[in-house]
Amino acid sequence: MLPSPAAIIHHLLFYGSGGGLWWETAPLSPPVAVAVTALAGLALLAAVFYSATSRGHIKSPWSRRKRKTPLSPQQWRSLFTPEGRLRDGGLNFLKKVRSGGIHPSIRAEVWPYLLGVRYNLNSSKEERDAVRTQNRKEYEKLRKQCRRLLKQYDKSCSSKQLSEKLIQDAQSPSSEEVESARESFSSGEKTPDSGFGDDTATMLLEGDNSLRSADDSTLNTESSDTDSSEEAEVIRATTPSDGREDKGSDILTKGISPSLNTGMPSANQTTEDFLTWQRIIRVDAVRANADWIPYSYQQATVSETRARRCAEAVRLRDYDHLEPHRIFHASRLVAILEAYAIYDPEIGYCQGMSDLLSPIITIITDDHEAFWCFVGFMRKARHNFRLDEVGIRRQLKIVSKIIQFKDLHLYRHLQKLQADDCFFVYRMVVVLFRRELSLEQTMNLWEVMWADQAAVRAGVGKSAWSRIRQRAPPTDDLLLYAVAASVLQRRKLIIQKYNSMEDILRECNSMAGHLDVWKLLDDAHDLVVTLNEKIESSL
């Protein structure tokens, strides 16, 4: 009687396929030997497959052969206790997101947890409800302050026009009198002498820190400055757009270091900073593309009446060429970005920030919650928009070190081309791959990145994280490892064909639409496993 195939394979895997050990430990009759020979190849393939897949799972949370399934609605609900707290401090939650992302139907619920919207992973439902109520009130105060600044500007403009008319009607005014009148009434544009140039669409501006601590009593006593029905509708909005059409040679392709306004800003300057940010926000909002439509049916079908009402509420102009859904999306961008400029006046608004906000308002339907998610996102990303460029230079330095430690040959080639500062990945770092990846890929990348950052905020140590995913520590800089991985994937092309910094820059800009986000994350994680401690010790 012949042994079963399973028994033969087990024997092969345990003793080996052929040779002395097989025949010495278990001599078989010729018919059995024939059966063994026939199954030997299958056994060998099984052994190789087992070994390869085991090694893959040890090294990386993203299998090179198959992406793990995203966090499903059923799994998400099962993660909570009856009190509404995440079980085990959220470790299993972070593990699942890190391995496969999030199912689109629950992103609006899950993202606030990843972005730390003022509550931690151990909060109860009751605590989160209280936080949401407070968040809404604070967002509405910020919007009220935006409207107050615009009203001040309107009054100032009216005074300026009246002043200029009186001057023109005067019989023979002296040049000194004319200049004095203009200085008295002008809320005016900043001149180059005040530290800002005319090309505001390509400049990063610094605001007044005093704006953040606005007097609540001042805001509350302005009874005439209540929320209009139009803006209330924007606050309750349903999802808008994402991404912006590429601007070619703007600050995301080139680095710009504008003059700094080092003096203490006057009241007029405070208003002018906000108005400057406002103008740039409106330009970027109107230019935003509409690749978000498949993710938000409700917003994609918004009526023209509602869209235009929301646009008027935030004083959006020059939108007649847009479809209603794009008008509505642009209006939400304006409202939230203006509020953020008041909340974080050190950063204010810079080109590229609308790219980061667009995916968030695509998913999060309430403006006040989208705003705080954006604040959570900008906790880390805001350093990309600092005038002194300290944040962006630090990140480019880390990318350079990753390449140096991983591939010295490639690094030396970059040195020869005077490209070892990795400035050619500037755009990838500033807007976190938003222009290199599709919207879905962007959200996949960001979710995994946010899971790492949430683990860092929660104080998950390396030993605890190793129980989640073998040997992989959480890092605030997963994006930078992904950026380095995208360059390393093209090492052969860079070394053999590119002879200048411009060549490499063109290659990086041409990556758009040609990246596999899960392969990118896989490679990035391998780099974290092997280089994380070395990188941290070198900084």
Side-chain angles (χ1 to χ4, degrees):
M1 179 178 178
L2 292 175
S4 68
I8 294 175
I9 291 176
H10 176 77
H11 203 75
L12 281 168
L13 290 174
F14 189 79
Y15 291 105
S17 56
L21 180 60
W22 169 263
W23 298 111
E24 289 172 12
T25 58
L28 298 175
S29 63
V32 175
V34 171
V36 169
T37 302
L39 291 171
L42 290 176
L44 183 59
L45 287 174
V48 171
F49 179 77
Y50 177 83
S51 175
T53 54
S54 296
R55 286 197 302 270
H57 283 300
I58 289 174
K59 291 186 67 178
S60 172
W62 304 283
S63 169
R64 294 184 185 279
R65 293 169 179 78
K66 184 179 179 181
R67 171 197 172 188
K68 293 200 177 281
T69 57
L71 177 69
S72 69
Q74 296 78 12
Q75 291 170 326
W76 171 240
R77 288 191 291 269
S78 71
L79 291 172
F80 288 89
T81 67
E83 296 79 25
R85 298 183 189 274
L86 280 169
R87 302 180 191 278
D88 63 23
L91 292 184
N92 193 45
F93 159 58
L94 296 178
K95 167 189 174 181
K96 188 64 181 174
V97 175
R98 195 182 193 220
S99 297
I102 302 166
H103 191 276
S105 65
I106 56 171
R107 277 175 169 148
E109 299 175 49
V110 178
W111 281 13
Y113 289 83
L114 294 177
L115 290 168
V117 181
R118 292 190 160 190
Y119 49 77
N120 58 42
L121 297 176
N122 293 314
S123 60
S124 67
K125 182 180 184 304
E126 184 178 357
E127 291 168 341
R128 293 192 295 273
D129 288 343
V131 168
R132 288 191 190 99
T133 300
Q134 182 63 26
N135 283 352
R136 179 188 288 274
K137 291 178 180 178
E138 293 193 26
Y139 175 72
E140 289 174 353
K141 285 181 180 180
L142 290 167
R143 285 301 310 152
K144 186 178 291 186
Q145 190 167 348
C146 292
R147 294 192 298 277
R148 182 161 61 86
L149 288 171
L150 290 174
K151 285 185 177 181
Q152 290 175 356
Y153 174 71
D154 288 344
K155 292 177 182 177
S156 178
C157 284
S158 297
S159 298
K160 179 180 178 181
Q161 291 170 358
L162 177 61
S163 171
E164 290 178 346
K165 186 176 187 305
L166 292 173
I167 292 173
Q168 290 171 1
D169 291 342
Q171 293 296 323
S172 301
S174 66
S175 60
E176 291 81 3
E177 290 170 337
V178 172
E179 186 64 28
S180 175
R182 286 177 177 166
E183 290 179 353
S184 298
F185 292 98
S186 174
S187 65
E189 302 298 325
K190 282 191 176 126
T191 65
D193 291 338
S194 67
F196 301 117
D198 293 328
D199 189 6
T200 57
T202 57
M203 297 189 69
L204 310 179
L205 303 178
E206 184 174 10
D208 173 21
N209 288 324
S210 65
L211 284 173
R212 182 192 293 273
S213 56
D215 186 349
D216 287 350
S217 62
T218 302
L219 293 173
N220 293 332
T221 55
E222 294 185 11
S223 58
S224 63
D225 195 19
T226 58
D227 288 344
S228 66
S229 60
E230 291 85 356
E231 180 146 351
E233 185 164 12
V234 176
I235 292 174
R236 294 191 298 270
T238 59
T239 65
S241 130
D242 146 66
R244 196 172 70 238
E245 294 170 345
D246 215 355
K247 292 185 171 55
S249 181
D250 61 10
I251 65 159
L252 302 182
T253 306
K254 297 181 180 179
I256 294 179
S257 300
S259 301
L260 298 180
N261 182 13
T262 56
M264 289 296 291
S266 65
N268 274 350
Q269 286 177 326
T270 298
T271 304
E272 290 165 8
D273 286 343
F274 177 76
L275 294 172
T276 302
W277 296 327
Q278 183 199 52
R279 285 193 295 272
I280 306 173
I281 289 169
R282 277 154 178 69
V283 170
D284 288 352
V286 169
R287 294 178 65 174
N289 66 37
D291 60 354
W292 52 269
I293 291 177
Y295 297 86
S296 181
Y297 173 80
Q298 189 175 7
Q299 184 181 214
T301 55
V302 67
S303 69
E304 182 172 359
T305 300
R306 185 183 182 195
R308 290 183 177 275
R309 190 165 62 243
C310 292
E312 291 302 316
V314 295
R315 300 192 182 194
L316 186 64
R317 301 289 184 267
D318 302 322
Y319 57 78
D320 288 338
H321 63 290
L322 297 179
E323 302 91 338
H325 56 269
R326 293 187 68 181
I327 297 172
F328 186 67
H329 161 59
S331 301
R332 288 194 74 199
L333 281 175
V334 169
I336 294 173
L337 290 170
E338 283 183 353
Y340 186 81
I342 297 294
Y343 175 82
D344 187 1
E346 180 186 4
I347 301 301
Y349 177 77
C350 302
Q351 280 185 312
M353 288 168 61
S354 61
D355 290 273
L356 305 188
L357 175 59
S358 289
I360 293 176
I361 62 174
T362 298
I363 300 301
I364 308 296
T365 59
D366 291 325
D367 275 11
H368 71 91
E369 188 150 6
F371 171 80
W372 290 109
C373 282
F374 185 61
V375 169
F377 193 1
M378 288 292 288
R379 183 187 294 112
K380 173 74 175 175
R382 70 185 295 276
H383 300 292
N384 295 354
F385 304 99
R386 288 176 53 126
L387 281 172
D388 57 16
E389 297 184 341
V390 169
I392 194 68
R393 291 182 184 279
R394 172 195 171 274
Q395 293 178 86
L396 294 178
K397 181 180 178 181
I398 291 175
V399 174
S400 177
K401 284 186 173 295
I402 294 170
I403 295 174
Q404 179 184 2
F405 293 153
K406 180 63 179 178
D407 192 331
L408 188 57
H409 183 40
L410 173 60
Y411 179 76
R412 285 175 175 168
H413 181 70
L414 295 177
Q415 278 186 315
K416 185 173 68 174
L417 303 183
Q418 297 184 328
D420 53 304
D421 59 1
C422 290
F423 188 76
F424 52 86
V425 299
Y426 183 91
R427 187 177 75 177
M428 292 183 199
V429 174
V430 171
V431 290
L432 293 85
F433 274 106
R434 181 62 194 96
R435 299 193 182 179
E436 284 69 36
L437 299 173
S438 68
L439 178 55
E440 178 63 27
Q441 288 180 318
T442 297
M443 292 190 286
N444 291 152
L445 174 66
W446 289 0
E447 286 164 355
V448 174
M449 177 186 72
W450 292 339
D452 257 23
Q453 293 173 356
V456 172
R457 288 197 307 274
V460 178
K462 182 176 179 180
S463 59
W465 192 259
S466 67
R467 293 193 294 271
I468 293 178
R469 188 52 61 184
Q470 293 86 346
R471 297 190 295 121
T475 173
D476 269 333
D477 296 322
L478 182 62
L479 173 89
L480 305 182
Y481 286 92
V483 170
S486 71
V487 177
L488 290 164
Q489 287 175 359
R490 288 158 174 76
R491 67 174 303 279
K492 185 175 180 181
L493 190 64
I494 293 173
I495 292 172
Q496 293 182 354
K497 294 189 176 181
Y498 294 154
N499 299 307
S500 69
M501 166 79 154
E502 289 71 23
D503 289 338
I504 305 175
L505 181 59
R506 279 193 296 272
E507 173 63 24
C508 289
N509 289 341
S510 70
M511 288 182 188
H514 300 286
L515 289 170
D516 180 338
V517 68
W518 293 103
K519 174 64 165 64
L520 189 67
L521 283 167
D522 204 357
D523 290 353
H525 192 265
D526 284 346
L527 291 172
V528 172
V529 170
T530 57
L531 297 178
N532 185 65
E533 291 184 357
K534 193 172 183 179
I535 294 295
E536 289 185 350
S537 63
S538 69
L539 296 176

